[in-house]
Amino acid sequence: MLGWIDDRLGAASWARTGLRKIFPDHWSFLLGEVALFCLVVLVLTGVFLTLFYVPDATAITYNGSFAPLQGQQVSAAFDSVMRLSFEVKAGLVMRQIHHWAALVFVAAIVVHLLRIFFTGAFRRPREINWLIGIGLLLLALAMGLTGYSLPDDLLSGTGLRIVYSVVLSIPFIGPYLAFLVFGGEFPTAQIISRLFVFHVMLLPALLLGGVGIHLAVLWIQKHSQYPGPGRTEHNVVGKPFWPSQVLKSTGLMILTAAVLSLMGGLIQINPVWTYGPFIPTTVSAPAQPDWYVGWLDGALRLFPPIEVTLLGITIPSPFIPGVLLPGIAFTVMTLWPFIEARLMHEGTREHNLLDRPRDNPLRTGIGVAALLVFVMLTLAAGNDVVALVFNVPVETMTNMMRIAVFVVPAVGFGVAWRICEELRRGELHPLGRDPGVMLRRTPEGGFEEVEPPD
Amino acid sequence: MRVLWAFVASLLVVAGLFALSAERAPARTRSQPAGSGSTTNQVSAGRTLYLTSCASCHAANGQGTAYGPSLAGVGAAAADFQLSTGRMPFAENAGHQAKRKPPAFTPDQIRALVAYVASLGAGPAVPTISTAPSLLPRGQQLFIANCAPCHGATANGGAVGGGALAPPLSMATAVQVGEAMLTAPGQMPAFPLSGEDLAAVATYVEYLRTAPNPGGFSIGGIGPVPEGFVAWLVGVSLLLLIVVLVGHDWDPRRT
């Protein structure tokens, strides 16, 4: 059988080199794989959900087993999600695994991205995969946003309404764009079926294709590695793809699926039956989006409600925090490899050995500051919940966050820079021991301290 | 070995969540509706209590002072609500908002005080609320449209601005729910609904507290904020632990 294939495709020699491909050994290189395996779980559970979900906003009368909704008018979409949650066998656990997997998927991408950023793995020649990676992150966010809205419950309806008003706020094209996307003035009957097409066809196709290219580029370019004995810019030290890496990855996939199933089975998520069906005249509170959109919601909440008039054009207040800010953030992030190369006068130098975060205090400092802006904005999105938990007025929270969003990242930058410098000076591993003092015997018989080489 | 570690960690998380959810079990306090069929005796007994405990803020004849609003015409419903939820007597050091606490008076004393406040002017009487399962759908509709924006979809409470909190409704009795809607305590607006609608909302509030809530441990039931925390604290931490263990070089020949 194998011989048959080999005769026709000449696959054996190709496979042999493939199986012997070297993968460097470090746990941080597995983070991207976790994201990949979350995607596998998402696809599997997603296919199951698609079998039962009805992408239709037509109003029907609910007559399922959830008593408080009996006889109420709900959309067919909401009705099918209720059926999935209460009548379809294993429907609820599939829904919950899917939703937890989505939250963890984006989180894993972010952690993977942080590893890439802080170790300088995006540098020439790997800028290509950085760009593809950012594209994949954007696709993952779009997947999350569209999926979140499919149940057509009150909470996600409130989210869609905010999206609609943000799109509307774009100068000149806003109203046209909003009508194009939503098919009319919010709420529209078409939006659910449109989101569905995006969520189960267009975006997944792009996402899976993108992942394929991401991996192919990795394969062709070979893996980067941390500096160490015997490791140079021109070799890769590690274990072969088969058996070592395959076994490792398989184990990791099973464990990732196990963690997500455990969460889906044990921890309730998005109980749409308590939010109720979407009714255009009602909003729910506290109304938050899933965590990865939180920073945008937080920016909307922190930004003062002012309308700037520039050259006779009024810019509605959601535009700056809702469109301009993420636009700038993603542009800078996308272009970072090129910005950094320019800053560091890199020229055409190639990097296959990774930096430790301390090796580049400026990059590390900027990364920490950007991360803290993100964290602060995300916290601001939960300001009403945080206010409730800590029993402080919402307005105080908002004002505190308005200051914190500038101060905390600035302090973070300074601290990160300082730590990098200190570590470099001492060449201390954060977990290592003090290297001690080097002494030299002087010709006179005494001792003197030797400066450690820098 | 790695699998074992992942498993132990999951068990710990589960145990922690158990502990958390046990703490959320509501303490039930039920008070008899007071105020109906009051006697002159009750009114005078109430006045005596009133003069010692309430007059400092609401003035001797309930006309109100700088420290407390007029009680003329607030009705038996307002008095019973404020007293049975322990909001009154208001403690000066309690901040701006009267908070729920154990009632300061016995049920008899509350009946007397309510009778007295009701005698100050015509106002809503203590409603009779008869909850019934058939009212659930109406109750959910009304609750989601009117109450959820402040109290949250699962009645777990929320912030309403100005430093005020819409409290969780896990302790409110059916009568107190009706009274709150009729008398607009604190920052809450009034919802002068029909008797049946009051009962419908009360039925749903009770349902939220008692009905089984499928899906596993409820992490607050207030949506994506706790969900995001759990995704990171449970999901990402567990996976990071697994990644470090899987990525570790376990070959004993190397160090």
Side-chain angles (χ1 to χ4, degrees), chain A residues 56-61 73-76:
Chain A
D56 180 3
T58 315
I60 57 171
T61 306
Q73 290 289 302
V74 302
S75 69

Side-chain angles (χ1 to χ4, degrees), chain B residues 86-113:
Chain B
R87 283 185 166 72
M88 292 293 141
F90 194 62
E92 276 110 297
N93 57 0
H96 293 300
Q97 192 179 9
K99 298 259 163 55
R100 188 180 182 107
K101 42 186 192 303
F105 301 97
T106 65
D108 275 339
Q109 289 173 320
I110 290 181
R111 266 192 286 277
L113 275 165

Side-chain angles (χ1 to χ4, degrees), chain B residues 2-252:
Chain B
R2 296 156 222 187
V3 187
L4 189 71
W5 267 109
F7 195 69
V8 169
S10 334
L11 282 183
L12 284 178
V13 172
V14 172
L17 285 170
F18 254 122
L20 277 181
S21 61
E23 207 159 344
R24 287 187 57 247
R28 297 270 229 114
T29 49
R30 281 208 160 269
S31 66
Q32 284 296 313
S36 45
S38 53
T39 60
T40 357
N41 264 355
Q42 264 183 336
V43 173
S44 65
R47 179 167 169 77
T48 318
L49 282 168
Y50 179 87
L51 287 175
T52 49
S53 303
C54 324
S56 58
C57 296
H58 292 289
N61 293 309
Q63 67 272 42
T65 69
Y67 304 105
S70 159
L71 298 184
V74 300
D80 185 54
F81 175 82
Q82 299 286 343
L83 292 166
S84 69
T85 62
R87 283 185 166 72
M88 292 293 141
F90 194 62
E92 276 110 297
N93 57 0
H96 293 300
Q97 192 179 9
K99 298 259 163 55
R100 188 180 182 107
K101 42 186 192 303
F105 301 97
T106 65
D108 275 339
Q109 289 173 320
I110 290 181
R111 266 192 286 277
L113 275 165
V114 167
Y116 173 68
V117 172
S119 75
L120 294 174
V126 174
T128 323
I129 305 284
S130 34
T131 58
S134 61
L135 294 172
L136 263 183
R138 178 92 186 119
Q140 195 201 30
Q141 263 176 346
L142 286 168
F143 186 87
I144 287 177
N146 298 308
C147 320
C150 292
H151 290 282
T154 45
N156 276 329
V160 294
L165 300 177
L169 302 184
S170 50
M171 313 236 281
T173 65
V175 171
Q176 287 166 352
V177 170
E179 289 170 342
M181 286 189 275
L182 290 177
T183 65
Q187 301 242 357
M188 179 170 152
F191 297 90
L193 306 177
S194 73
E196 197 183 55
D197 282 350
L198 293 182
V201 174
T203 306
Y204 186 64
V205 170
E206 196 156 80
Y207 177 88
L208 282 177
R209 180 165 55 216
T210 54
N213 198 2
F217 301 106
S218 170
I219 45 175
I222 51 170
V225 173
E227 287 165 7
F229 269 107
V230 170
W232 278 92
L233 291 183
V234 179
V236 176
S237 331
L238 267 181
L239 286 169
L240 276 181
L241 187 78
I242 289 173
V243 158
V244 172
L245 291 175
V246 171
H248 181 81
D249 193 351
W250 293 92
D251 192 339

